[in-house]
Amino acid sequence: MNSGDAWVEGPNGERFWGRFGAAGLLVHDLRRGVLLQHRADWSHFGGTWGLPGGARHEGETAVEGALREAAEEAAVPADAVEVLFTSVLDLGFWSYTTVVAQAVRTFEPHMADVESIELRWVAVPDVTGLPLHPGFGAAWPELRSRLTALAG
């Protein structure tokens, strides 16, 4: 597979990471909340909180990409989560897929590369109290609503 690690420029000059789109993993643990990543200062929208994720490889599905990136960045074991649903932001020339998963067993994430300042389990009501990556911040209300409905 070819790496998708490159910028894509939109018609208005905006830049988006991932030649083949990007994907992130939102892991929900019923006891601990959602797993968030405090993004390294040097990264795009550095210093904000978002999801482990990144550029998809050529031919890689969004779920495959999100699971791979979460393992690379936060040591999330693929067998510790069960995918619940996906949410896609499709701009026509680029897309981002949020893969929402439930933790099916306890695991401790840890920073597995240099893209994080911190990883933290955050209670669902407390997410909006953090400085969120703009894309995640815009998507969070709908994601929270769907997640809450599934959690009962």
Side-chain angles (χ1 to χ4, degrees), residues 6-88:
W7 290 103
V8 172
E9 189 168 317
N12 297 328
E14 301 156 308
R15 291 173 32 159
F16 300 88
W17 186 246
R19 286 189 305 150
F20 309 109
L25 186 68
L26 177 62
V27 179
H28 181 240
D29 182 299
L30 292 171
R31 291 168 298 148
R32 299 186 288 175
V34 293
L35 177 62
L36 296 183
Q37 174 193 52
H38 193 184
R39 299 169 58 82
D41 289 331
W42 56 263
S43 68
H44 197 226
F45 295 109
T48 62
W49 289 82
L51 306 178
R56 291 168 49 191
H57 293 321
E58 184 176 28
E60 186 175 54
T61 69
V63 170
E64 290 167 342
L67 290 172
R68 177 186 50 76
E69 286 282 342
E72 290 174 3
E73 295 179 3
V76 175
D79 66 350
V81 299
E82 178 180 310
V83 174
L84 299 174
F85 64 90
T86 61
S87 176
V88 181

Side-chain angles (χ1 to χ4, degrees), residues 64-124:
E64 290 167 342
L67 290 172
R68 177 186 50 76
E69 286 282 342
E72 290 174 3
E73 295 179 3
V76 175
D79 66 350
V81 299
E82 178 180 310
V83 174
L84 299 174
F85 64 90
T86 61
S87 176
V88 181
L89 170 67
D90 188 345
L91 302 178
F93 60 91
W94 181 85
S95 67
Y96 183 90
T97 302
T98 303
V99 176
V100 180
Q102 186 75 48
V104 294
R105 68 173 173 84
T106 301
F107 67 91
E108 292 305 322
H110 64 271
M111 294 183 292
D113 68 11
V114 298
E115 296 184 39
S116 305
I117 296 170
E118 179 184 358
L119 297 168
R120 183 189 306 172
W121 292 103
V122 179
V124 169

